[in-house]
Amino acid sequence: MDTIQRIANHPEMKRGEGRKDTGVLAVAVKDLHKSFGSQKVLNGICLNVATGETLAVLGRSGTGKSVSLRIIIGLEKPDSGSVRIQGEEITGLTIDELGSVRLKMGFLFQHAALYDSLNVAQNVAFPLLHHKREMSKSEQADRVQKLLADVGMEGHLEKMPADISGGMQKRVGLARALILEPDILLLDEPTAGLDPISSGDIDDLILKLQQEHHMASIVVTHDLHSAKTIANRLALLDDGNVVIEGTFEELQKSDIEFVREFLKRS
Amino acid sequence: MSSSVASTNGLISQFFEWFGDLAIFCWQVLRAAVTPPFEFHELFLQLDEIGSKSLPLVALAGAATGVVLSMEARYSLTRFGAKSLLPAAIVFSVIHETGPIITGLVVSGRVGAGIGAELASMKVTEQIDAIEASAVNPYRLLAATRIMACILMLPLLTLAADACGLVMGWFAQALVEPLSLHQFISSGFKGADFNDFLPPTFKTAVFGLIIGLIACFQGMRTQGGAAGVGRAATSSVVLSSLFVILADVVLVKVILIFFP
């Protein structure tokens, strides 16, 4: 059974129903290599994510999880390998050509990366101002308010990023990532540095948004509990490659020493 | 011995790498600047930030230069019995050289540091990556607008520095020996034509290009945290001031050739 069929037949793929599915993988990463100087970060990594599916990428620090996400959205160029977004190869594209591909993707940065000179509402409206110029100001404001309400930030529109907590910044970053209604959502450590309650809130929020928007998602995380909660499948990385990929139950049954050690200590 | 050779090789390689990266950066900014969508809103914000907000500092520097020139020139010209040439000496000094170079250096200090630190801070906090991830070209939004604003505003700021320098030069002269502003101007500009005024004023557009380009480049290639931001701000000021002075040497020669 090929990868697309296996993913499409997976019982937990019900969330993806309703989303347009062209039969093409939302994200297909093949044999990706990346080094920074003499340090080899990715060593032939392969990842596939179908429409409506959520893949959690786990692993120790420095195993190339975040670099993989940055390559998928085109912020880093791989040394070799292929990245296809909805069937389109992106590794050779220029910055302007990547623009149309990036419109299909939302990215939540590890530290939210909010624009510190703009307030919360302006941060979320930023992609709209540049890509939905045909929308009236009031339509843009309505969409921003609705999305901020969805992430529980409706009372903080005028606040500056420096005046809100880390968890709130993540919520605003999530709203900004979703404002253009992307087909693919990339989340880099969405719960890192948050207390267990805020972490749980963010997980619930991601689950809720996934159920509403039926996006393909890749979540890079250290948090196994979070990964179990929000992902259909998990991929465990070590030394720049995927050690094992499957459901949490499949990972639990694994005989690989590294997998058992990782699950035991998480 | 071998370590000093390796260190020299490293410095040479860094030197060429810096120019290579700068050339690539120039190409990316140029390509972004001439292709739509154009970021007019950001350009107007930068015109205000770089132009209007630099005006008080540039005017003050120009005025101080005018006063100093007046006092120094008066002393020298009196010694050589050429006191009547004082207005012309002040006017020609200010519009030919001191106005443009003072403006270039003051703006490279204020704006170069500002742009370098702002973009470096955005770089280390992934805000530039966030702009790019939002499918907005940061070379177009951040670099092209700031460089264009520097190019457009430097000649205008030079005019302001020139005007303040001349008025304060006259004022310093008038305090010692009564002379009307009209007399000072008409005597000072006697024999001057547009070739004395336009090329030195418009050469500051090149200073603007240098300041904007170096500051954006140093800011957007920053690595490291707060230390990296500090280094970017410092190197933006140092390198843009240095290149402004070097460009001035070349441009003065070019102007003398084409506008004798």
Side-chain angles (χ1 to χ4, degrees):
Chain A
M1 190 184 290
D2 67 32
T3 312
I4 299 176
Q5 283 175 321
R6 188 167 58 82
I7 294 166
N9 291 339
H10 197 281
E12 291 190 49
M13 285 300 293
K14 286 173 190 165
R15 276 186 224 149
E17 286 173 8
R19 189 80 176 180
K20 65 170 180 177
D21 188 349
T22 55
V24 177
L25 285 168
V27 180
V29 172
K30 194 177 170 190
D31 200 22
L32 214 55
H33 290 260
K34 176 73 181 174
S35 299
F36 293 101
S38 59
Q39 189 190 355
K40 204 165 184 63
V41 178
L42 297 180
N43 192 17
I45 192 173
C46 296
L47 293 170
N48 291 318
V49 185
T51 303
E53 185 196 25
T54 299
L55 173 72
V57 180
L58 298 148
R60 289 188 299 185
S61 301
T63 49
K65 304 185 297 295
S66 295
V67 173
S68 307
L69 273 198
R70 290 175 64 83
I71 290 175
I72 289 169
I73 201 163
L75 293 174
E76 300 280 354
K77 293 274 181 202
D79 298 336
S80 64
S82 158
V83 178
R84 288 181 176 275
I85 303 298
Q86 295 181 337
E88 185 181 355
E89 178 64 48
I90 66 155
T91 48
L93 298 183
T94 64
I95 190 166
D96 281 323
E97 290 166 340
L98 271 170
S100 59
V101 180
R102 285 173 173 150
L103 289 175
K104 300 171 189 168
M105 294 192 270
F107 193 108
L108 172 62
F109 287 81
Q110 186 173 352
H111 301 291
L114 300 182
Y115 310 123
D116 52 18
S117 58
L118 305 180
N119 67 26
V120 164
Q122 288 167 335
N123 260 282
V124 178
F126 180 87
L128 280 183
L129 289 173
H130 287 86
H131 300 297
K132 300 283 179 187
R133 292 175 198 239
E134 71 282 4
M135 279 178 87
S136 67
K137 292 276 178 205
S138 64
E139 284 173 322
Q140 289 183 355
D142 286 347
R143 191 188 283 193
V144 168
Q145 280 181 3
K146 184 185 175 304
L147 207 45
L148 282 171
D150 285 350
V151 298
M153 289 293 293
E154 61 272 33
H156 307 277
L157 271 65
E158 302 295 323
K159 286 188 178 165
M160 300 303 285
D163 300 329
I164 57 177
S165 68
M168 290 161 106
Q169 288 184 6
K170 289 263 169 83
R171 288 165 181 266
V172 177
L174 195 53
R176 186 177 65 186
L178 292 166
I179 193 76
L180 293 176
E181 298 176 336
D183 296 334
I184 300 158
L185 186 60
L186 307 175
L187 307 170
D188 191 1
E189 305 269 14
T191 57
L194 301 182
D195 63 85
I197 294 172
S198 302
S199 211
D201 286 349
I202 291 281
D203 285 344
D204 293 343
L205 184 59
I206 292 168
L207 266 179
K208 183 186 127 196
L209 292 169
Q210 282 168 347
Q211 282 160 0
E212 285 173 4
H213 300 274
H214 305 298
M215 294 160 294
S217 306
I218 302 179
V219 185
V220 161
T221 183
H222 283 106
D223 185 345
L224 187 61
H225 177 74
S226 169
K228 258 185 342 187
T229 310
I230 60 181
N232 307 105
R233 283 187 304 129
L234 292 80
L236 185 56
L237 264 59
D238 191 36
D239 282 339
N241 216 332
V242 178
V243 178
I244 188 170
E245 193 178 338
T247 62
F248 179 67
E249 290 71 27
E250 285 168 347
L251 262 66
Q252 277 184 313
K253 290 174 192 162
S254 170
D255 293 331
I256 303 169
E257 183 58 33
F258 174 73
V259 179
R260 293 163 70 94
E261 186 71 13
F262 189 90
L263 294 181
K264 195 172 94 182
R265 289 175 180 263
S266 294
Chain B
M1 181 68 182
S2 62
S3 71
S4 66
V5 170
S7 150
T8 309
N9 285 344
L11 283 175
I12 292 170
S13 129
Q14 272 179 17
F15 176 80
F16 285 109
E17 197 178 312
W18 187 87
F19 276 103
D21 288 347
L22 180 64
I24 293 167
F25 180 78
C26 289
W27 170 243
Q28 282 168 324
V29 172
L30 183 66
R31 202 170 53 179
V34 297
T35 51
F38 301 109
E39 301 287 351
F40 290 114
H41 179 68
E42 181 68 15
L43 176 62
F44 287 125
L45 286 178
Q46 293 307 321
L47 287 173
D48 177 48
E49 184 63 39
I50 290 163
S52 322
K53 290 178 181 166
S54 299
L55 185 60
L57 197 59
V58 166
L60 193 64
T65 309
V67 171
V68 171
L69 264 178
S70 178
M71 292 190 297
E72 288 284 351
R74 182 181 178 76
Y75 175 72
S76 307
L77 291 175
T78 305
R79 279 182 66 188
F80 294 107
K83 203 170 73 175
S84 62
L85 291 176
L86 184 58
I90 295 172
V91 165
F92 276 77
S93 296
V94 167
I95 65 173
H96 265 250
E97 192 49 41
T98 52
I101 194 71
I102 287 291
T103 306
L105 292 176
V106 166
V107 173
S108 75
R110 184 191 170 272
V111 174
I115 292 176
E118 182 192 16
L119 296 189
S121 168
M122 290 181 75
K123 171 75 176 171
V124 300
T125 55
E126 294 185 308
Q127 291 177 56
I128 294 180
D129 287 340
I131 289 173
E132 205 175 328
S134 297
V136 175
N137 186 334
Y139 295 102
R140 184 178 294 123
L141 179 70
L142 301 176
T145 51
R146 281 162 176 76
I147 294 168
M148 187 57 73
C150 285
I151 292 171
L152 293 175
M153 292 318 292
L154 256 288
L156 295 177
L157 289 168
T158 304
L159 289 179
D162 287 354
C164 290
L166 293 181
V167 169
M168 290 310 291
W170 160 75
F171 185 71
Q173 155 88 349
L175 284 178
V176 181
E177 190 176 319
L179 178 75
S180 74
L181 181 60
H182 180 260
Q183 278 177 316
F184 178 84
I185 295 291
S186 55
S187 166
F189 278 95
K190 201 172 171 183
D193 58 20
F194 275 113
N195 281 352
D196 293 307
F197 174 68
L198 292 180
T201 304
F202 283 107
K203 80 177 175 186
T204 57
V206 179
F207 297 169
L209 172 68
I210 290 168
I211 295 165
L213 196 61
I214 299 283
C216 289
F217 176 61
Q218 290 297 104
M220 290 178 78
R221 76 200 293 264
T222 304
Q223 288 179 331
V229 176
R231 276 195 302 272
T234 307
S235 62
S236 297
V237 176
V238 171
L239 291 174
S240 59
S241 303
L242 180 68
F243 281 110
V244 161
I245 292 167
L246 293 177
D248 192 39
V249 174
V250 176
L251 288 169
V252 164
K253 185 66 188 168
V254 170
I255 289 169
L256 286 174
I257 291 168
F258 288 101
F259 303 95

